Amino acid sequence: MKNTYLQVSVFLISLLIASVAMATEEPKYVLLEKSEPFELRAYSPRIVAEVKVEGDLDTASSSGFRILAAYIFGKNQVSEKIAMTAPVGIESSDQSKSTKIAMTAPVMIEGNKSSDKTSNNQWTVSFLMPAGSTLDNLPKPLDSQVRIRELPSEKRAVITFSGFYNEEKVQEKTQSLREWIKTKNLKPTGEPQFARYNPPWTLPFMRRNEILIQVLD
């Protein structure tokens, strides 16, 4: 009886997590080709908030998330043009100088190669800003580490996988994606990006992770 109750509870929690994930805004793109687990996508222009952090992949993901979450939860200088909807429900202590911004997915993580072998790994962690955002109407970050910038339209090759992640698994999936890109006669440009869509408490089989590489025809 207890096992049945536990199974039902896990199932209901999984449905709740899935519904939250599906309700979260994601970047707009057109699917050009699909051959599971690979896709070729054409992304529309979009705006991101990003921060550079150091450490391993897991440390960078956590620290970068905290800094960017502080920005969208209210650590920003409010703009008169801001009109955000569906905010994340965390209040700022100073409402006259802050606003909340709707949560989006995924959290993007990109490694930056360094020729200095003694330096720590550096990563760029970024959040997508909600649809309708512009460089003019987004509030300015109070943390100087946070940068707001616009990304142009682009094509990206993508591999999707579930479960937990670590640097070895990310490298393995990245290599698989590079091989697929080669078979399609596409030219990779820039560094691979790792994207995670789910909160830490998401069950492994329900987690959605992606590696994305910008490509040219």
Side-chain angles (χ1 to χ4, degrees), residues 24-43:
T24 305
E25 181 183 337
E26 297 186 12
K28 300 292 187 296
Y29 65 83
V30 174
L31 182 61
L32 302 177
E33 184 175 347
K34 184 171 185 176
S35 177
E36 291 189 0
F38 305 103
E39 293 183 356
L40 180 62
R41 304 172 182 169
Y43 281 88

Side-chain angles (χ1 to χ4, degrees), residues 35-142:
S35 177
E36 291 189 0
F38 305 103
E39 293 183 356
L40 180 62
R41 304 172 182 169
Y43 281 88
S44 303
R46 58 212 182 278
I47 294 178
V48 298
E50 63 182 24
V51 62
K52 293 185 184 298
V53 291
E54 293 186 345
D56 58 26
L57 178 61
D58 193 52
T59 300
S61 176
S62 298
S63 60
F65 181 91
R66 285 196 299 270
I67 294 171
L68 293 174
Y71 167 66
I72 69 169
F73 291 162
K75 192 176 181 180
N76 54 62
Q77 181 63 53
V78 70
S79 164
E80 293 180 357
K81 295 181 180 179
I82 276 293
M84 297 297 177
T85 59
V88 176
I90 297 182
E91 296 295 327
S92 168
S93 60
D94 187 350
Q95 291 297 311
S96 66
K97 291 187 176 181
S98 66
T99 189
K100 297 179 291 256
I101 302 171
M103 176 65 85
T104 63
V107 178
M108 304 291 293
I109 308 165
E110 179 178 340
N112 300 324
K113 293 181 178 179
S114 173
S115 58
D116 185 358
K117 296 182 179 179
T118 63
S119 65
N120 292 328
N121 292 331
Q122 189 175 68
W123 309 81
T124 299
V125 182
S126 60
F127 278 4
L128 173 74
M129 294 294 95
S133 300
T134 68
L135 295 177
D136 291 329
N137 70 17
L138 282 169
K140 295 180 180 179
L142 294 180

Side-chain angles (χ1 to χ4, degrees), residues 84-205:
M84 297 297 177
T85 59
V88 176
I90 297 182
E91 296 295 327
S92 168
S93 60
D94 187 350
Q95 291 297 311
S96 66
K97 291 187 176 181
S98 66
T99 189
K100 297 179 291 256
I101 302 171
M103 176 65 85
T104 63
V107 178
M108 304 291 293
I109 308 165
E110 179 178 340
N112 300 324
K113 293 181 178 179
S114 173
S115 58
D116 185 358
K117 296 182 179 179
T118 63
S119 65
N120 292 328
N121 292 331
Q122 189 175 68
W123 309 81
T124 299
V125 182
S126 60
F127 278 4
L128 173 74
M129 294 294 95
S133 300
T134 68
L135 295 177
D136 291 329
N137 70 17
L138 282 169
K140 295 180 180 179
L142 294 180
D143 189 334
S144 60
Q145 297 178 89
V146 179
R147 178 189 177 196
I148 310 297
R149 70 186 182 101
E150 185 172 12
L151 302 179
S153 58
E154 60 186 2
K155 289 182 181 179
R156 287 180 177 263
V158 183
I159 182 172
T160 303
F161 60 99
S162 60
F164 293 113
Y165 71 87
N166 54 39
E167 289 198 47
E168 288 185 3
K169 188 171 186 179
V170 169
Q171 290 176 0
E172 174 190 334
K173 299 297 182 180
T174 300
Q175 182 57 36
S176 296
L177 180 58
R178 289 190 184 280
E179 292 172 359
W180 185 77
I181 289 173
K182 188 175 181 180
T183 65
K184 296 297 177 179
N185 295 317
L186 299 170
K187 181 180 179 181
T189 62
E191 295 297 320
Q193 281 191 320
F194 169 60
R196 59 181 181 86
Y197 287 79
N198 310 102
W201 57 82
T202 307
L203 297 174
F205 71 93

